């Protein structure tokens, strides 16, 4: 190894809770880390994955075989964490990383450092040389589970003992570990100049009276890319901590409230969804990922732990309103149980009076229907999006209040741009347009990108 670009490396081990063991080599910091072992199927964007706060409490496995070949540009960081005594500003929240092959010598004009150097600097344990195909197949068959990665301890009994004593993901409030401590603004001035080569100017910039919407964003572990996408759609934010009282938010007189993505078990974050319950109906609300789950819980719905979750930039979702398929970027391990929102309204659900008994929402995809339920708290709620891989709920729209949400990430950081229209939809909702979700997705998906502009 000393004669290769990797140099001398120390051994490392990954032990799963069910006793499965993978051996490899260290490609990050030395140490030991525990967390839920999950996998991401994105082919690119590993740095955005690494710095997504939604991975707090997790050990991230990348399914693409080589990671680090184009290095890291810090302008692409997704964490907006301000830093504290335990973790520096913008640092990743994930516990550890698992890859097949780590490239220590990147080649890219934007690269400022390598992935191994970045991980070592921030003290994040990583292991390479693992058969990630076998690991992912094991997780798909047996479900996501707790694991421990170590470069310093190789006694399996000792590792198993440490793992058994580690906190579990379910029931733990991880949101409070990644949220901002104080309110702060986020405007066009916060957009990274390094992205100007690819992205057009924000909506309204340079116009005498730009249509800027004032938004309060609950930071539950928000990705910068999501805030940047909304700013480019004409929003300016005050970002507030995860547990900010609804009364304080309403006192700011916002045009809308945004509920961000975030990590872990949504049932463990009642301080947020109880506030959302007080906001719905009083101000337009848009939720993404954990924000979608917060709206669902505010409506009294049930949330389930998925077997291995949805993580990657290639999740197919059917938009039941437009009948278009969106290829989406996702990162979550929990999902809404749609029937728990209420009984079906047959006259708005194609005459169907009972929910499908197997819970597979592709039932509605096959029939071309966006079903509506009667909810005890907020009236009628429509199912708008369904995951085509497993038939789980991916989006809802409240019909008696200005509120909608999706389970996925529309900002392409990393991932496709099919869901870009959701930023536009939120702006239209705040502008009072009743049919705010009726958008030509095909036309909107490239909006805001410089390469989509025709040259004269």
């Amino acid at each position: 190894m000393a004669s290769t670009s990797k140099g001398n490396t120390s051994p490392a081990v990954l032990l799963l809770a069910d006793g499965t063991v993978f051996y490899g080599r260290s490609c990050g910091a030395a140490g030991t880390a525990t967390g839920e072992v999950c996998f991401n199927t994105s082919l690119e964007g590993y740095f955005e994955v690494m710095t997504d706060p939604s991975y707090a409490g997790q050990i991230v496995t990348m399914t693409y075989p080589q990671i680090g070949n184009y290095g890291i540009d810090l302008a692409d960081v997704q964490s907006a964490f301000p830093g504290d005594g335990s973790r520096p500003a913008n640092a990743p929240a994930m516990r550890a990383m698992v890859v097949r092959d780590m490239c220590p010598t990147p080649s890219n004009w934007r690269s400022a450092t390598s992935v191994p150097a970045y991980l070592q600097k921030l003290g994040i344990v990583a292991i390479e040389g693992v058969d990630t195909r076998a690991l992912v197949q094991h997780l798909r068959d047996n479900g996501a589970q707790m694991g421990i990665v170590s470069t310093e301890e190789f006694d399996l009994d000792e590792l198993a003992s440490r793992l058994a004593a580690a906190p579990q993901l379910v029931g733990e409030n991880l949101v409070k570990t990644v949220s901002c401590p104080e309110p702060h603004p986020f405007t066009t001035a916060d957009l990274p100049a390094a992205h100007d080569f690819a992205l057009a100017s924000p909506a309204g910039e340079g116009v005498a009276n730009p249509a800027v919407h004032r938004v309060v964003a609950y930071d539950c572990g928000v990705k910068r890319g999501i805030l940047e996408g909304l700013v480019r759609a004409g929003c300016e934010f005050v970002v507030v901590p995860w547990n900010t009282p609804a009364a304080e938010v309403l006192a700011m007189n916002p045009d809308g409230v945004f509920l961000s993505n975030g990590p872990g078990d949504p049932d463990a974050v009642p301080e947020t969804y109880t506030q959302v319950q007080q906001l719905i109906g009083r101000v337009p609300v848009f939720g993404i990922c954990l924000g979608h789950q917060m709206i669902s819980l505010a409506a009294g719905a049930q949330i389930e732990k998925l077997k291995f979750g949805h993580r990657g930039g290639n999740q197919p979702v059917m938009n039941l309103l437009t009948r278009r398929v969106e290829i989406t970027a996702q990162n979550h391990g929990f999902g809404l149980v749609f029937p728990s929102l209420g009984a079906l309204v047959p006259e708005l659900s194609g005459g169907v009076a009972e929910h499908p008994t197997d819970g597979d929402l592709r039932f509605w995809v096959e029939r071309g229907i966006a079903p509506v339920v009667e909810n005890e708290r907020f009236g009628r709620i429509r199912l708008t999006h369904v995951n085509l891989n497993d038939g789980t709920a991916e989006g809802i729209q409240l019909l008696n209040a200005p509120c909608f949400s999706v389970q996925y990430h529309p900002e392409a950081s990393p991932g496709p741009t099919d869901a870009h229209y959701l930023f536009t939809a939120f702006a239209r909702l705040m502008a009072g347009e009743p049919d705010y979700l009726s958008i030509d997705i095909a036309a909107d998906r490239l909006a805001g990108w410089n390469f989509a502009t025709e040259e004269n």
Side-chain angles (χ1 to χ4, degrees):
M1 294 297 293
S3 62
T4 70
S5 60
K6 293 183 182 293
N8 288 320
T9 57
S10 59
V13 61
L14 165 64
L15 173 67
L16 301 183
D18 65 5
T20 305
V21 183
F22 294 87
Y23 292 98
R25 303 181 302 275
S26 173
C27 58
T32 301
T34 61
E36 183 187 69
V37 183
C38 63
F39 60 89
N40 185 291
T41 58
S42 294
L43 302 184
E44 46 75 40
Y46 52 77
F47 182 54
E48 290 90 337
V49 171
M50 291 163 55
T51 55
D52 182 348
S54 294
Y55 282 114
Q58 293 180 308
I59 296 171
V60 182
T61 303
M62 300 299 297
T63 63
Y64 191 73
Q66 186 181 65
I67 299 299
N69 58 315
Y70 59 84
I72 286 175
D73 184 342
L74 295 177
D76 299 336
V77 69
Q78 290 303 299
S79 172
F81 185 69
D84 61 14
S86 63
R87 217 165 74 245
N90 307 125
M94 67 177 186
R95 298 277 173 81
M97 193 172 193
V98 181
V99 302
R100 177 70 183 92
D101 178 63
M102 181 70 79
C103 177
T105 54
S107 177
N108 175 17
W109 65 276
R110 297 182 67 227
S111 177
T113 187
S114 70
V115 173
Y118 179 80
L119 295 173
Q120 291 164 12
K121 179 180 179 181
L122 293 174
I124 298 173
V125 179
I127 179 175
E128 69 169 325
V130 170
D131 185 345
T132 50
R133 292 176 300 177
L135 173 57
V136 169
Q137 287 173 349
H138 186 79
L139 295 176
R140 286 178 62 89
D141 291 341
N142 299 281
Q145 57 186 288
M146 294 293 291
I148 182 168
V149 177
S150 183
T151 66
E152 56 190 8
E153 178 61 65
F154 296 92
D155 182 287
L156 297 183
D157 291 336
E158 173 61 22
L159 290 173
S161 177
R162 293 192 193 183
L163 182 56
Q168 301 293 305
L169 186 74
V170 175
E172 183 180 6
N173 183 348
L174 291 167
V175 168
K176 63 184 180 182
T177 69
V178 291
S179 180
C180 62
E182 301 290 341
H184 63 89
F186 193 96
T187 67
T188 55
D190 296 293
L191 296 176
H195 291 174
D196 290 347
F197 77 96
L199 297 171
S201 298
E205 191 169 85
V207 180
N209 295 297
V212 174
H213 301 286
R214 301 186 312 278
V215 177
V216 173
Y218 272 84
D219 179 6
C220 296
V222 67
K223 291 175 67 177
R224 284 186 58 91
I226 292 175
L227 292 179
E228 291 169 8
L230 285 164
V231 165
R232 293 183 182 280
C235 303
E236 289 195 349
F237 289 90
V238 172
V239 181
V240 299
W242 63 286
N243 57 353
T244 301
E248 292 185 16
V249 171
L250 293 171
M252 299 179 192
N253 195 29
D255 298 319
V257 171
F258 172 71
L259 308 172
S260 84
N261 64 292
D265 183 356
D267 280 311
V269 199
E271 295 91 336
T272 300
Y273 64 75
T274 54
Q275 303 310 312
V276 174
Q277 201 171 56
Q278 300 173 51
L279 293 168
I280 293 175
R282 303 182 68 180
V283 64
V285 178
F286 174 36
I288 284 176
C289 200
L290 185 75
H292 163 74
Q293 297 162 4
M294 292 295 99
I295 290 172
S296 301
L297 286 168
Q302 176 186 347
I303 301 294
E304 64 180 342
K305 179 82 163 67
L306 302 178
K307 185 176 181 180
F308 47 80
H310 304 151
R311 298 178 182 88
N314 49 6
Q315 293 280 334
V317 169
M318 171 62 78
N319 183 321
L320 296 175
L321 304 180
T322 64
R323 299 297 298 168
R324 288 188 181 273
V325 174
E326 305 167 24
I327 305 302
T328 67
Q330 304 199 13
N331 176 13
H332 62 100
F334 297 81
L336 162 67
V337 179
F338 178 69
S340 67
L341 282 171
L344 288 170
V345 181
E347 62 270 25
L348 297 177
S349 305
V352 179
E354 299 293 335
H355 290 284
T357 56
D358 61 0
D360 191 336
L361 300 179
R362 286 172 293 191
F363 171 92
W364 303 108
V365 174
E366 294 168 357
R367 289 156 179 77
I369 297 170
V372 176
V373 299
E374 187 68 38
N375 181 258
E376 291 184 359
R377 295 179 181 173
F378 299 125
R380 294 182 172 182
I381 299 178
R382 172 188 286 151
L383 177 69
T384 56
H385 298 78
V386 172
N387 189 294
L388 294 178
N389 281 341
D390 61 8
T392 53
E394 293 282 2
I396 57 174
Q397 176 190 19
L398 276 62
L399 301 184
N400 299 121
C403 176
F404 74 110
S405 61
V406 292
Q407 183 61 79
Y408 48 94
H409 298 183
E411 86 289 356
S413 295
T417 60
D418 294 27
H420 180 277
Y421 73 95
L422 293 166
F423 297 142
T424 306
F426 185 38
R428 288 172 51 151
L429 175 63
M430 290 185 289
E433 297 186 31
D435 207 12
Y436 59 92
L437 276 174
S438 294
I439 296 173
D440 183 348
I441 297 174
D444 189 84
R445 67 184 297 272
L446 293 178
W449 294 85
N450 279 334
F451 58 71
T453 303
E454 295 184 2
E455 294 183 3
N456 296 325

